[in-house]
Amino acid sequence: MKVTLTQKDWMLISAYLDERLSNAEIGKVESRLKTDLQFKQAFTEIQYARRILRSLPMKRAPRNFTLSPQRIKMPVRRGWFQPALSFVSATAALVLIVVFAGSTLLPMLGVTKSAAPIMALAPEAAMDTTQKLLGESTEAPMIILWNPAQGAGGGNGNEALGSYTSGPGIGGGGVAPTEAPVIPPAPMAAESPTAKTLTQTQSDPSTLILGLPEPGTGGEIINRDFSKSEPSKPALPASTFWIISLAALSLVSGVLALILRRR
Amino acid sequence: MDEQALIQSALKGELDAFNRLILAYQDLAFNVAYRMLSDEDLAADAVQNAFISAYRNLKMYRGGSFKAWVMRMVTNGCYDELRRQKRRPTTPLEPISSEDHEEIDSPEWLASADPTPESMIEQAELEHAIQHCLDNLPLDFRTVVVLVDIQGMEYEEVAHVARAPLGTVKSRLARARLKLRDCLQGFQELLPARFRLEGEVRE
């Protein structure tokens, strides 16, 4: 027969066996023991389990555990390093979450709110930018002048720019015959006021434009050392830098704390 | 010298006074630890650490039952050991059997009322069955049933050791006994005749 009683019944039986019930409860249990067969069986089984447990002999201590002065010396405190690393790791992770949320969620909210005004202002902004650029470039435009009679830049690529006068004309013609009169590079800088301006602004290649020289003047060569130009670096946003740094800090300190704890 | 006087002396730094308290409680502490850990060596280590911890933290003792306070140290030590075992489970290289133990000088032998070989075997089987059932109990239940049924401690003391209300202790005890009943019924045929549940209540 399977005994099915409530938890309260089991507690009642258990407490009755330990004599932890009030007189009223004892009377209730005893009357139920006389009438309820299931209750009686449950009581007998719990009593049996309790009796078996209490039959276990006391195990005596295998030795004395008394303390000696050497034994009670306070141990050297384990380093503060592990808790500190744990704290750093947790703090870095929290700050990382804040920075990440700030750098991704806040701009997203800002864009959705101000998208229309930005789009409306876009043409004006573009014009402003153009005017600004023009304003900068009109101050000192760089003009490359060349002699239309001679041409420049075409043909034999092996020829140095400095000797273009002996090279082919525009369109890549053949090498000029040796009998033809060689016109040396014209000292335009000294003769043309435009050229004077050019020499002053050579340092800024962004303003470089092509133009025609004054009649009777020769071309001018702008020598530029492209090998010394600085490579363009993509700018790293500050938030990305912080996210990477914090993630690395959190990860490294967390792993170190874990290793120290396991020792 | 009574217990309170020994505690006061120990609080003043007298190690001898504390050692007398240890001698009074070491069997009880070892028994509790052994029933919870099922290993004599681990139990001895847990008890030793508990007494060291108790001495160092004696200033934290705020009166009441000193036995319950010490037993709390012991059970906490056992919890730590069980957690450590759970984190780093180990497997013994050789199975440990009771035959490997020294029988002549064993405290078990000295404690036994009936030292005949048959009764010792019966006793060992009974202990094995009970320990197996205890090991299968949830830790909170095991603590309560060991302290009440094996050590005979009062509910109030157990509530102090387990840091649980009295009602919780009663509930845990009832449920632990119920689980033990179920488990022990599986060992009916293996138990000595005097420990078998007879007749009408068998399922």
Side-chain angles (χ1 to χ4, degrees), chain A residues 219-243:
Chain A
E220 185 184 21
I221 300 164
I222 298 171
N223 287 320
R224 228 181 130 219
D225 189 2
F226 287 98
S227 63
K228 288 182 180 173
S229 62
E230 290 184 5
S232 60
K233 288 180 183 173
L236 192 66
S239 58
T240 311
F241 170 77
W242 278 109
I243 287 170

Side-chain angles (χ1 to χ4, degrees), chain A residues 7 14 18 20 41 45 48 52-54 57-59 61 63-65 67 71 73 262, chain B residues 19 26-27 31 34 48 56 88 108 123 130 149 155-156 175 177 180-181 188 191 195 201:
Chain A
Q7 179 62 29
S14 185
D18 292 335
R20 302 288 302 198
Q41 185 178 344
E45 288 176 2
Y48 162 75
I52 282 193
L53 285 171
R54 289 181 178 233
M58 275 284 280
K59 277 208 168 283
R63 58 183 166 85
N64 279 341
F65 294 104
L67 305 178
R71 186 159 265 184
K73 274 183 189 169
R262 292 205 167 229
Chain B
N19 279 336
Q26 64 180 8
D27 283 344
N31 212 32
Y34 176 74
Q48 186 69 80
R56 286 179 184 152
R88 299 178 190 173
E108 281 177 53
Q123 191 66 36
I130 294 171
D149 277 341
Y155 282 14
E156 288 77 12
R175 292 165 73 184
R177 284 171 173 168
L180 282 169
R181 176 207 67 163
Q188 278 288 326
L191 293 179
F195 289 113
V201 292

Side-chain angles (χ1 to χ4, degrees), chain A residues 142-211:
Chain A
M142 181 174 284
I143 302 170
I144 294 177
L145 303 174
W146 70 85
N147 192 338
Q150 291 288 328
N156 194 349
N158 290 331
E159 297 290 338
L161 283 171
S163 59
Y164 79 95
T165 49
S166 62
I170 295 171
V175 178
T178 50
E179 301 89 46
V182 176
I183 301 169
M188 277 184 56
E191 293 169 14
S192 168
T194 315
K196 280 182 184 172
T197 314
L198 283 174
T199 52
Q200 292 169 359
T201 59
Q202 274 182 356
S203 60
D204 186 6
S206 64
T207 59
L208 191 105
I209 59 171
L210 298 177

Side-chain angles (χ1 to χ4, degrees), chain B residues 3 6 18-29 51:
Chain B
E3 188 176 279
L6 287 171
F18 191 77
N19 279 336
R20 287 177 70 181
L21 290 167
I22 288 177
L23 289 172
Y25 289 115
Q26 64 180 8
D27 283 344
L28 175 68
F51 281 133

Side-chain angles (χ1 to χ4, degrees), chain B residues 178-194:
Chain B
L178 188 58
K179 283 177 183 288
L180 282 169
R181 176 207 67 163
D182 294 341
C183 178
L184 287 169
Q185 280 180 353
F187 287 92
Q188 278 288 326
E189 303 305 323
L190 299 174
L191 293 179
R194 63 195 166 105

Side-chain angles (χ1 to χ4, degrees), chain B residues 2-23:
Chain B
D2 70 341
E3 188 176 279
Q4 284 305 315
L6 287 171
I7 292 166
Q8 291 305 317
S9 300
L11 276 167
K12 288 173 191 164
E14 286 182 29
L15 190 57
D16 285 344
F18 191 77
N19 279 336
R20 287 177 70 181
L21 290 167
I22 288 177
L23 289 172

